[in-house]
Amino acid sequence: MKALVCSRLGGPEDLSIADLPDPVPGPGEALVRVRIAALNFFDTLIIAGRYQVKPELPFSPGGEACGVVEALGPGAEGFSVGDRVMVHLSHGTARERIAVPVKRLARVPEAVSNAVAAGLSITYGTTLHALRDRADIRPGETLVVLGASGGVGLAAVELGKLLGARVIACASSPEKLEMARAHGADELVDYRANNLREELRRLTGDWGVDVVYDAVGGDLAEPAMRALGWKGRFLVIGFAAGEIPKFPLNVIMLKGIDVQGVHWGAFVEREPEAHGANQARLLAWAAEGKLTVKVHGTYSLEAYEEALGVLVRREAVGKVLLDLRG
């Protein structure tokens, strides 16, 4: 089988395509023939050795995929050969076949396409966990989404609207903001052209923001945090800007703010039943047409440098997919 392989840490140019033996499913595992794999920004960090997940070399990037079960290992229950499944892992899906624990699979409804299923589990799974399990966002509350045009940002816009929030999308260009508007954003803020804190205060008045969803970090985090109202919640999703912000604790104290860490991978391991329910809910919403999962582009396995380059340069508007159907 063909596999995208990271044999040394670095950038996309340091990866290669290798021919490897097909894996054999072990106890509790399924052999999945991958049709579409999805790449995320964190894949660019994993291959550089700058992410909290540090696989042993060599490994394949890719944390999510859609494929078909080809075989089952001893004791693997709940799935059958021929089932179309959504796969979620920390890494390893950018290859034609993978052996994966069945607990990391979800059956895909017929109405959900391969592309949607491939890009649903991590970005939307992270976001549903953040907004519902952590922030407990309520209908009518105001949600600010930083970096609202990327895969995780658009997921936050869509799910925020689905959960009844007023969504303020924040991004770095008018073009990116229009994409967020097309996915349901109520208000738009261009934080390159405007002062983020002042714009959020203008849009929310004395009440302030209820929830900030921050996958960017860097210089945007503190002004967004300062725009929170009484008992506002700040969701720490990631640090696409590269810099991990440091917050003034006096502001957090005076406003009664909750700064909430969102570590979806730990949630998956520690609360598997809640995670399974979230995945089922996402697939049901996708089948009903309530989630779109915007695709930035679909690339062949051989075009992996181009695909990862879009993520490195933070140009992605939606999901970046690899087509492994040959």
Side-chain angles (χ1 to χ4, degrees):
M1 68 168 185
K2 288 184 178 180
L4 180 59
V5 175
C6 178
S7 298
R8 66 175 185 269
L9 299 178
E13 67 279 4
D14 294 302
L15 304 181
S16 61
I17 296 176
D19 286 313
L20 302 176
D22 287 347
V24 176
E29 291 185 336
L31 178 66
V32 175
R33 173 62 170 94
V34 176
R35 289 179 172 175
I36 303 287
L39 298 173
N40 293 280
F41 180 77
F42 69 79
D43 287 302
T44 69
L45 302 178
I46 288 177
I47 64 174
R50 295 190 291 113
Y51 195 60
Q52 57 258 35
V53 175
K54 300 186 186 307
E56 290 186 14
L57 297 171
F59 66 90
S60 293
E64 51 189 343
C66 180
V68 177
V69 175
E70 288 192 334
L72 294 167
E77 298 178 348
F79 295 88
S80 301
V81 172
D83 283 349
R84 194 160 59 102
V85 292
M86 182 170 73
V87 182
H88 53 94
L89 298 167
S90 61
H91 64 279
T93 64
R95 50 179 60 196
E96 290 181 327
R97 286 180 174 83
I98 53 175
V100 55
V102 293
K103 67 181 181 179
R104 293 305 187 100
L105 304 178
R107 190 175 288 102
V108 178
E110 190 173 326
V112 179
S113 70
N114 292 334
V116 168
L120 191 68
S121 63
I122 293 179
T123 51
Y124 283 81
T126 296
T127 302
L128 184 58
H129 171 54
L131 296 181
R132 192 164 66 174
D133 301 332
R134 300 293 286 135
D136 190 25
I137 198 164
R138 303 294 177 138
E141 289 192 313
T142 299
L143 168 67
V144 166
V145 180
L146 303 182
S149 67
V152 72
L154 288 176
V157 171
E158 283 196 280
L159 285 172
K161 287 300 295 179
L162 199 52
L163 294 171
R166 174 196 180 201
V167 177
I168 302 175
C170 306
S172 59
S173 72
E175 295 77 17
K176 290 181 176 181
L177 288 170
E178 285 307 314
M179 183 60 64
R181 188 197 298 277
H183 283 71
D186 299 290
E187 308 282 356
L188 309 176
V189 175
D190 182 338
Y191 45 62
R192 281 192 178 168
N194 300 283
N195 181 289
L196 177 61
R197 184 184 178 191
E198 289 180 1
E199 285 298 293
L200 294 179
R201 292 179 71 175
R202 179 181 66 81
L203 291 169
T204 60
D206 293 335
W207 183 263
V209 173
D210 295 299
V211 179
V212 170
Y213 181 99
D214 182 18
V216 180
D219 294 338
L220 298 174
E222 185 174 332
M225 184 272 290
R226 287 181 178 273
L228 284 166
W230 174 246
K231 290 189 176 179
R233 289 91 80 199
F234 190 102
L235 294 166
V236 182
I237 311 296
F239 313 103
E243 181 185 348
I244 298 176
K246 296 177 176 60
F247 287 154
L249 294 180
N250 61 319
V251 177
I252 293 171
M253 178 192 72
L254 292 172
K255 291 190 173 188
I257 290 169
D258 288 334
V259 178
Q260 300 177 331
V262 181
H263 188 178
W264 183 74
F267 166 70
V268 169
E269 292 295 332
R270 293 172 179 268
E271 302 180 48
E273 291 184 1
H275 160 66
N278 281 356
Q279 296 283 282
R281 171 48 53 199
L282 291 171
L283 285 164
W285 278 334
E288 294 165 8
K290 295 178 178 178
L291 299 176
T292 59
V293 189
K294 164 69 178 175
V295 175
H296 176 91
T298 302
Y299 302 80
S300 68
L301 185 63
E302 290 72 19
Y304 64 86
E305 282 195 57
E306 183 182 357
L308 284 164
V310 169
L311 294 166
V312 169
R313 296 187 298 273
R314 295 176 59 191
E315 296 171 352
V317 180
K319 298 297 298 187
V320 174
L321 306 180
L322 293 176
D323 191 335
L324 286 97
R325 291 173 292 188

